[in-house]
Every structure is written in structure tokens, then in C-alpha cells.
Amino acid sequence: MTRSKVVELLNNGNAGDSVTVYGWVRTKRGNKQINFVALNDGSTINNLQVVVDMEKADEAVMKKVTTGAAVAVSGTLTESQGSGQNIELNGESIEVLGEANPEKYPLQPKRHSLEFLREIAHLRMRTNLFGSISRLRHAMIFAVHEFFNSKGFINVHTPIITASDAEGAGEMFRVTTLDAKNPPLTEEGEIDWKQDFFGKATNLTVSGQLEGELAAMAMGEIYTFGPTFRAENSNTTRHLSEFWMIEPEMAFYDIVDNMDLAEEFLKYLIKYALDNCMDDLKFLSQRLQQEEKNKPQAERSMELIEKLEFVLANDFVRLTYTEAINILENSKPNKKKKFQYPVEGFGTDLQSEHERYLVEKHFKKPVILTDYPASIKAFYMKENEDGKTVRAMDILFPGIGEIVGGSQREENLDVLEAKMDKMGVPKEEMSWYLDTRRFGSAVHSGFGLGFERLMLFVSGMTNIRDVIPFPRAPKQAEF
Ligand code: 4AD
Ligand code: MG
């Protein structure tokens, strides 16, 4: 007999079918005559109810059927009389594959706090919540590839170990094989990176963009989807030290084409979730409502599915940074000094509290901000005619703040070189990057979507450490 998955049985099983399922016990209840075992195998949020006739069952085996145990069950499907599903399984033979001592197994059928589950992240995927998040994450990964593939974009693997700092923020993890206690030194007493593994100082990448640009200037439209690493000491609910980023890069796109693509992309992903993950979204929605039920009405977020549909149904608001600063300067929280960081005119770097004010209070819609001051953005962004601003675009989402950061790229060699000098970006070491501007240069654009920020939005979770299986953050590299 071949193994059936729970999801297949619940969706397509027929009464009378003989089947075998493997999975983990979620709960067991019942009495001397009959037991009900809720079985889950990760294929769906829903459990298969296994009914066991205790008069025929082996008592010693049934004793080992406890929460968390791995079991194989064979039997006949029958119409369910009230388990909330149409089908249940008459368990005629049960084999315990792996026991889970109830005295020691940390996951019991009760509500565990997210903090506790973070400490046992090696087991938390066995809960309903983290099962849902895992399936949703997979669906979103799949949808990313489907979207770009359907548009003829080429997926490019960009390096994880690199010698350059794409964002110029200096927040990199060093990669070295030098002896930390006794590194080779130059005559000046500095660490001699020439003697390191790669013959130069290297680090983990903060972004695949620069190599993505090289590919776009050959293949037209490309995207990367890889892990990125940032050594910023931001202990927030929206930052990870290791996160996944999707970075499309397109030759011949200007900033408007770039915004159009990003908006279409985000809506595609959200629609994909609504079309394909409804069971999990319904569960996540209930969780969110449960969590917020003690909050005052005004502080509660919109119901999850309604929120996703709302984003699909509305155009994102597009405005310039300068217009946003005006709105923020004249806003109530700014005048009443309620912002932690006051908004002080052109040049103010927007904080998450400002982004969220614009999106959640002022426009009540996703917002795309463009034309930021050159001084607060990376060196590669296309300068505007005003000489002050660059063709940057950040997409801000409710509950999240910045979800996408992107720009049109500076394609003019002279302007780019002058800018690198001004910002202290090493031109000689990045000669390979400048070659795209030396040979066959053209207008091009791209953006980066933080995958876990997207996951926060679609799942309704509020801490980014709960939407990646094994989070990396300052002082946290367990598992
Ligand atoms: O705005 P960022 O830094 O842009 C770039 O890296 C560009 N190279 C992208 C490009 O144009 N190709 O990062 C892009 C996105 C942010 O909008 C945010 O969603 C996410 O990456 N992000 C993080 N997500 C989780 N943890 C962090 N520490 C993040 N830093 C950025
Ligand atoms: Mg950014």
C-alpha cells in the first residue's frame, strides 16, 4: 500500500478507500471503547481524524500514541460524523514509529507563547501556526519564480562571498580563514588581507544588485533571489541579520517602469496567496484576531484577508520624498512632538514611525516614495536634474514600513565616478562594475523586495523572527 498525504485524503478521499498515512499525533482523546487521534503530516493545516476501536486495538501500542509521536496508520476512510471534516480514517492498524515522551516533549496541545516557540524553533514547525507560515513561505517563493518566469526574466545566482559593499553602509560580516589570534600583519601593522584565503578582504553579500546589473546589461531582464547578510545592530521586529531578498534588474527600464513592475509584482504575490493558501490564511487571520482581541478597537489591524484584498483593489499612492516631508512636518504627531525622531525638513532620513504614519494614518494605502535626497541614498542611484535628489523609490506598506527599496541606476560613467569619489566608494576595485557604463551603457533600473517583510505582511505576523524558520539576529544564531 502506498502512502497518502493528509491533504489528499481530506480533499479527494472517498469513503471505502483503503489507505495508509504517516504523520505526527497532535492530540488523542476518547474513552475505553473509542479513541480519536488527530493526525498531521505537514501537508495541510487540517488534521485527519483517526478513529480507533479500543476493543480491537493493542493497548500497549495505543499508550504510546501521544502528542508528538510519529505513527503510521492503515485503515478505511469513512464519512465523518462531526469532526469538522468530511472524511475520517478508521484506524485498523497503528504502528508507532517514534515515541514522544509526554513528560519531556515540549509541545503540548495548548497555547504556547511566540517567545517560548522561538526558543524551540527546532520543533515549532510542528505547531499549527508555524506549519501555516512554512507552507505560505513556500507558496510565496514559488510565486516569485512563477511571476518572473512568466515575464521572461532570467534567474541569476549572484555570489554570496564578495569583496564589495553594494549598499556602501559598511554593515558586513567578514569572511576569513586567518587566525583570529595571530593574523599576518603588514609593515604598517594592519591585518594583511593579501594573505587571506581569497587574497583580499571578503565578506558576506548585503545585496546581489551589483552583479545583477552586470547580468541585466547582457540578458535584459533578470532577477536574483538569495540570502543577504547585514551586520547592523538593529534589534527590531523588522530586521534580521540574514534575510532573503528578491532583486530584479531591468535594462531599458526607467523609474516609472520600475515602480509599475514592483506594484504588479507585489499584487501578484498577494493574489497568489489568496488563490492558493486560503486554509492557512484563515487560520492566520483567526490567530491575529485572537491576539488583538484585548486591544482597543482603534489599535486593531484590519482583518488579514480583507487587508490583502484591499491592497489588491487599490493603486499604490505615488509621491515624492519632498511632498512626504511636507505632509509629515505638518502632521499632528510632529507638531505635538510625538515622533521619537522629529521631521526637520529636506534631508531628514525617514524612520519607520514616519513611514507608518504616511501609510497607516495619512493615505491608508501602500505608498511609493520617490526622489529622495542623494545624501541619504546609495551611490548607484540616478541623479535628478536638480542635482539634489536621486531617482530612488521605496515602497511602504501598512504595519511594515519599507518593504521594497529600489531605483533607476546612474548609467552615465562620469556622473557615477564623480559620485563614487564623493562618497568614498573605491573606483579601482569596482572597475568591473563601471565597465557596464563604459561599454554599451543604457538606462536601467531595479529594486529589492525583502522576502521576510513580505511574509510579515501576508501572514499578519508581527515579529520578523517568526516568518523565517531559523532566525539570525544580534546574539542569536541557535539551530
Ligand atoms: O533598501 P535595501 O537596503 O536595498 C538594497 O539592498 C538594494 N540593493 C535593492 C535593489 O535595488 N536591488 O534593501 C531592500 C529591502 C528593504 O526594502 C527591506 O524590505 C529588506 O530589503 N531589508 C531587510 N529585511 C530584513 N532585515 C533587514 N535587516 C533588512 N534590510 C533590508
Ligand atoms: Mg532601503
Side-chain angles (χ1 to χ4, degrees):
M1 203 183 294
T2 53
R3 174 188 162 211
S4 301
K5 292 233 189 163
V6 168
V7 69
E8 292 158 9
L9 298 182
L10 292 178
N11 289 341
N12 303 316
N14 294 308
D17 292 353
S18 281
V19 301
T20 299
V21 283
Y22 289 68
W24 292 269
V25 175
R26 281 293 166 77
T27 57
K28 183 181 78 174
R29 60 191 173 81
N31 51 37
K32 285 211 170 86
Q33 284 79 46
I34 194 161
N35 270 198
F36 300 98
V37 179
L39 195 68
N40 193 283
D41 65 357
S43 61
T44 159
I45 178 82
N46 299 308
N47 300 327
L48 178 68
Q49 168 147 291
V50 178
V51 184
V52 184
D53 181 345
M54 291 305 282
E55 267 143 36
K56 292 187 193 147
D58 180 335
E59 212 173 301
V61 171
M62 287 309 289
K63 263 207 168 131
K64 295 178 184 165
V65 176
T66 58
T67 296
V71 296
V73 186
S74 297
T76 314
L77 291 183
T78 56
E79 291 209 6
S80 175
Q81 294 138 20
S83 70
Q85 310 293 344
N86 299 325
I87 278 288
E88 59 189 28
L89 177 60
N90 227 330
E92 283 136 28
S93 116
I94 299 194
E95 187 189 346
V96 175
L97 307 170
E99 296 174 44
N101 183 344
E103 246 115 79
K104 297 196 175 138
Y105 185 57
L107 287 171
Q108 291 305 319
K110 61 163 195 173
R111 222 182 146 76
H112 295 292
S113 74
L114 293 173
E115 290 76 16
F116 172 70
L117 292 172
R118 244 168 257 149
E119 285 167 20
I120 53 160
H122 59 298
L123 294 172
R124 68 179 176 171
M125 276 186 271
R126 296 183 183 196
T127 63
N128 283 336
L129 176 58
F130 287 90
S132 277
I133 293 169
S134 304
R135 280 182 298 272
L136 188 59
R137 198 176 153 105
H138 164 76
M140 291 294 90
I141 294 168
F142 188 78
V144 165
H145 290 295
E146 197 175 77
F147 176 80
F148 287 119
N149 185 55
S150 75
K151 289 188 162 292
F153 281 55
I154 299 282
N155 180 234
V156 179
H157 286 151
T158 50
I160 289 171
I161 300 173
T162 154
S164 52
D165 178 3
E167 291 305 298
E171 295 166 332
M172 296 171 304
F173 291 101
R174 171 111 320 144
V175 174
T176 178
T177 54
L178 292 182
D179 181 357
K181 273 200 202 133
N182 189 19
L185 300 179
T186 62
E187 279 173 10
E188 292 79 39
E190 306 282 333
I191 292 176
D192 186 5
W193 297 110
K194 285 210 181 73
Q195 295 189 46
D196 202 353
F197 190 91
F198 295 105
K200 54 165 74 174
T202 51
N203 45 267
L204 295 176
T205 188
V206 295
S207 157
Q209 178 193 324
L210 302 189
E211 292 87 357
E213 285 188 54
L214 308 181
M217 296 309 281
M219 311 300 293
E221 292 162 326
I222 67 94
Y223 70 106
T224 69
F225 188 169
T228 49
F229 307 87
R230 298 201 183 175
E232 53 187 330
N233 206 354
S234 305
N235 239 321
T236 79
T237 54
R238 297 172 316 112
H239 288 88
L240 289 165
S241 310
E242 175 180 296
F243 64 98
W244 290 72
M245 184 157 48
I246 299 123
E247 294 182 277
E249 191 71 33
M250 299 76 63
F252 318 120
Y253 275 48
D254 67 13
I255 187 161
V256 178
D257 302 324
N258 202 23
M259 286 192 278
D260 290 345
L261 181 75
E263 181 166 344
E264 185 188 346
F265 178 44
L266 284 165
K267 287 181 170 168
Y268 182 92
L269 297 177
I270 291 167
K271 182 162 188 314
Y272 191 93
L274 287 166
D275 288 346
N276 296 280
C277 309
M278 203 35 108
D279 282 352
D280 288 315
L281 289 179
K282 280 185 183 152
F283 175 82
L284 289 163
S285 166
Q286 282 163 10
R287 184 210 73 91
L288 187 61
Q289 282 172 319
Q290 185 74 20
E291 187 182 271
E292 295 198 327
K293 74 172 189 268
N294 296 327
K295 280 191 183 172
Q297 188 71 35
E299 283 173 34
R300 281 184 218 166
S301 34
M302 200 188 264
E303 189 276 322
L304 181 62
I305 293 161
E306 203 183 316
K307 178 188 83 175
L308 298 178
E309 282 167 348
F310 176 83
V311 169
L312 278 191
N314 286 282
D315 287 342
F316 297 0
V317 178
R318 300 182 183 192
L319 74 159
T320 66
Y321 163 92
T322 306
E323 288 164 331
I325 286 289
N326 262 329
I327 293 170
L328 289 166
E329 279 194 309
N330 295 313
S331 69
K332 253 197 208 155
N334 197 53
K335 287 184 168 160
K336 291 191 169 166
K337 304 210 176 341
K338 287 273 163 65
F339 284 138
Q340 195 186 341
Y341 298 89
V343 180
E344 287 162 336
F346 185 87
T348 304
D349 201 357
L350 296 185
Q351 305 294 327
S352 144
E353 57 179 345
H354 308 135
E355 296 173 343
R356 293 184 60 174
Y357 174 83
L358 288 170
V359 174
E360 290 161 28
K361 297 280 179 319
H362 190 83
F363 290 110
K364 300 191 166 73
K365 271 187 207 170
V367 169
I368 313 184
L369 285 189
T370 58
D371 304 291
Y372 281 74
S375 58
I376 58 171
K377 289 290 184 187
F379 72 94
Y380 51 69
M381 295 191 182
K382 172 83 183 161
E383 217 172 71
N384 278 317
E385 285 76 37
D386 63 12
K388 291 199 308 190
T389 58
V390 286
R391 266 170 228 177
M393 54 157 239
D394 278 8
I395 304 187
L396 316 179
F397 259 36
I400 310 287
E402 180 189 337
I403 192 164
V404 162
S407 71
Q408 186 175 322
R409 317 306 189 190
E410 183 56 72
E411 83 282 12
N412 182 308
L413 180 65
D414 297 336
V415 178
L416 185 56
E417 283 190 319
K419 203 135 164 231
M420 288 168 88
D421 284 340
K422 201 168 137 196
M423 293 184 143
V425 183
K427 266 187 338 219
E428 300 68 36
E429 281 164 40
M430 290 177 68
S431 183
W432 50 272
Y433 179 70
L434 292 169
D435 267 1
T436 52
R437 277 65 170 177
R438 286 190 190 106
F439 311 117
S441 188
V443 166
H444 64 288
S445 299
F447 61 84
L449 166 66
F451 186 63
E452 286 74 22
R453 300 249 174 115
L454 170 82
M455 281 300 301
L456 279 178
F457 185 73
V458 179
S459 68
M461 299 298 289
T462 45
N463 190 324
I464 200 161
R465 295 169 199 206
D466 294 332
V467 294
I468 187 166
F470 306 105
R472 266 59 185 129
K475 301 278 179 287
Q476 192 186 3
E478 195 71 44
F479 316 110

